[in-house]
Amino acid sequence: MSFIVTAIANPDAANLDHATVMRLSAALDARECRVLAKGIAADFATDTAPDVSAVLTQSDVTAIDLAVQRTDQTRRKRVLLADMDSTMIQQECIDELAAEVGLKDKVSDITARAMNGEIEFEAALRERVALLKGLPVTVIDKVIADRISLMPGGPEVVRTMRKHGAWCALVSGGFTDFTGRIAEIVGFQEHRANTLLAANGVLTGLVGEPILGKQAKVDALNDITTRLAVSPQDAITVGDGANDLGMLQASGTGVALHAKPSVAAQSDIRIDHGDLTALLYIQGYTADEIVR
């Protein structure tokens, strides 16, 4: 069996220089090397599955991610399923809503524990949403405008994959009030998330049931791939939290992006340094193919 190892740097650093490529090639005992993006990404062909940590140590390389894939798998995927909070955007929406009522620290602590798998996601979501009771619905637009920013590389991933015929879906444990807007901005073809319940223009402190959690994301993967007449192996998924683990492990390529420690430890591919364009390099896209 043979493997492709993709080395990926953060585009802002572009620190995958020629010398680093050569050291990695030697450490991997690579029989072939192909630069995907100068200073940013390169593929290495090898006949043995490498120990990523050992390779980085042996080659004295830092701030570079290594993604290992078998060559008998189709790299370019026909479906993208992406988490939203701390993945397609840089914030957690519920934390930013809580900031409007002076409870961001309290809610952020619960969010962090839920995303690291320390507490059950559904119960944690109900607890956090209850703290938002009485918040005017109009605050959501204010939060999106003032507090939410896209994760670098996200629009490029969606544009590039759509250009090559892929279906892109935003699947979030957050809220439809946010996913609808982010999906429109970034270019996702569909979105799924939870519903914040409101009455008389204010949030009730309740979330629509059933809650879209870990299993619901796996169900979304299966639903969407079945509808499109493809396999979950034809999908690439990306997320950072414990509620993403199911879909990351059930898809052909699951990518833990700047993930919580427990999630990164259980993921075959983790991106700790690169941005979302890493998803394209993992699929073998070159810099010239990326739609900017």
Side-chain angles (χ1 to χ4, degrees), residues 118-129:
E118 298 171 22
I119 53 178
E120 195 257 339
F121 177 80
E122 287 80 359
L125 186 65
R126 293 188 187 98
E127 180 182 357
R128 288 174 290 164
V129 169

Side-chain angles (χ1 to χ4, degrees), residues 43 45 53 178 199 238 262:
D43 275 347
S53 296
F178 291 89
V238 60
S262 66

Side-chain angles (χ1 to χ4, degrees), residues 16-98:
L16 189 64
D17 56 23
H18 178 73
T20 301
V21 168
M22 291 299 98
R23 293 201 305 276
L24 285 171
S25 185
L28 289 163
D29 193 20
R31 50 184 165 75
E32 184 181 349
C33 174
R34 174 180 177 237
V35 173
L36 302 174
K38 186 176 180 180
I40 300 171
D43 275 347
F44 301 86
T46 180
D47 294 322
T48 57
D51 179 323
V52 168
S53 296
V55 167
L56 293 173
T57 299
Q58 180 182 339
S59 56
D60 192 27
V61 169
T62 58
I64 297 290
D65 296 308
L66 296 181
V68 181
Q69 300 175 87
R70 298 198 326 243
T71 55
D72 61 354
Q73 298 175 322
T74 302
R75 288 181 74 183
R76 293 203 176 182
K77 302 303 184 182
R78 298 176 62 184
V79 177
L80 166 67
L81 260 68
D83 173 46
M84 180 179 67
D85 296 271
S86 297
T87 301
M88 294 306 299
I89 61 174
Q90 298 188 58
Q91 297 78 24
E92 293 282 337
C93 289
I94 195 165
D95 295 357
E96 300 309 318
L97 284 173

Side-chain angles (χ1 to χ4, degrees), residues 1-281:
M1 185 177 294
S2 57
F3 301 84
I4 289 290
V5 180
T6 307
I8 305 166
N10 186 303
D12 290 338
N15 57 320
L16 189 64
D17 56 23
H18 178 73
T20 301
V21 168
M22 291 299 98
R23 293 201 305 276
L24 285 171
S25 185
L28 289 163
D29 193 20
R31 50 184 165 75
E32 184 181 349
C33 174
R34 174 180 177 237
V35 173
L36 302 174
K38 186 176 180 180
I40 300 171
D43 275 347
F44 301 86
T46 180
D47 294 322
T48 57
D51 179 323
V52 168
S53 296
V55 167
L56 293 173
T57 299
Q58 180 182 339
S59 56
D60 192 27
V61 169
T62 58
I64 297 290
D65 296 308
L66 296 181
V68 181
Q69 300 175 87
R70 298 198 326 243
T71 55
D72 61 354
Q73 298 175 322
T74 302
R75 288 181 74 183
R76 293 203 176 182
K77 302 303 184 182
R78 298 176 62 184
V79 177
L80 166 67
L81 260 68
D83 173 46
M84 180 179 67
D85 296 271
S86 297
T87 301
M88 294 306 299
I89 61 174
Q90 298 188 58
Q91 297 78 24
E92 293 282 337
C93 289
I94 195 165
D95 295 357
E96 300 309 318
L97 284 173
E100 296 293 324
V101 291
L103 293 172
K104 183 172 182 177
D105 288 346
K106 180 176 183 177
V107 170
S108 294
D109 178 66
I110 300 171
T111 299
R113 292 167 60 207
M115 291 301 98
N116 202 41
E118 298 171 22
I119 53 178
E120 195 257 339
F121 177 80
E122 287 80 359
L125 186 65
R126 293 188 187 98
E127 180 182 357
R128 288 174 290 164
V129 169
L131 296 172
L132 304 178
K133 184 177 181 179
L135 192 66
V137 173
T138 53
V139 167
I140 293 174
D141 287 337
K142 180 177 182 293
V143 166
I144 292 174
D146 297 343
R147 295 178 177 272
I148 302 302
S149 53
L150 299 180
M151 191 71 76
E156 288 86 348
V157 171
V158 172
R159 291 178 195 138
T160 302
M161 291 189 67
R162 287 190 62 174
K163 179 182 177 181
H164 289 84
W167 184 265
C168 300
L170 191 60
V171 182
S172 173
F175 310 112
T176 53
D177 297 281
F178 291 89
T179 58
R181 193 75 58 84
I182 299 303
E184 181 181 3
I185 293 170
V186 177
F188 284 95
Q189 289 142 299
E190 70 175 279
H191 66 98
R192 301 186 183 194
N194 294 300
T195 303
L196 280 172
L197 301 182
N200 302 316
V202 299
L203 299 181
T204 63
L206 300 173
V207 61
E209 302 282 349
I211 289 175
L212 193 156
K214 181 178 180 179
Q215 183 56 46
K217 292 195 176 192
V218 176
D219 294 341
L221 170 66
N222 292 328
D223 290 346
I224 292 170
T225 53
T226 297
R227 189 185 76 221
L228 298 174
V230 299
S231 163
Q233 292 301 305
D234 295 313
I236 184 169
T237 55
V238 60
D240 74 300
N243 62 325
D244 297 312
L245 261 176
M247 72 172 184
L248 296 183
Q249 296 172 343
S251 62
T253 303
V255 180
L257 181 85
H258 304 167
K260 307 304 181 287
S262 66
V263 178
Q266 298 178 71
S267 301
D268 290 335
I269 297 178
R270 54 187 289 182
I271 298 298
D272 297 326
H273 306 288
D275 66 12
L276 279 164
T277 55
L279 273 65
L280 296 174
Y281 300 126

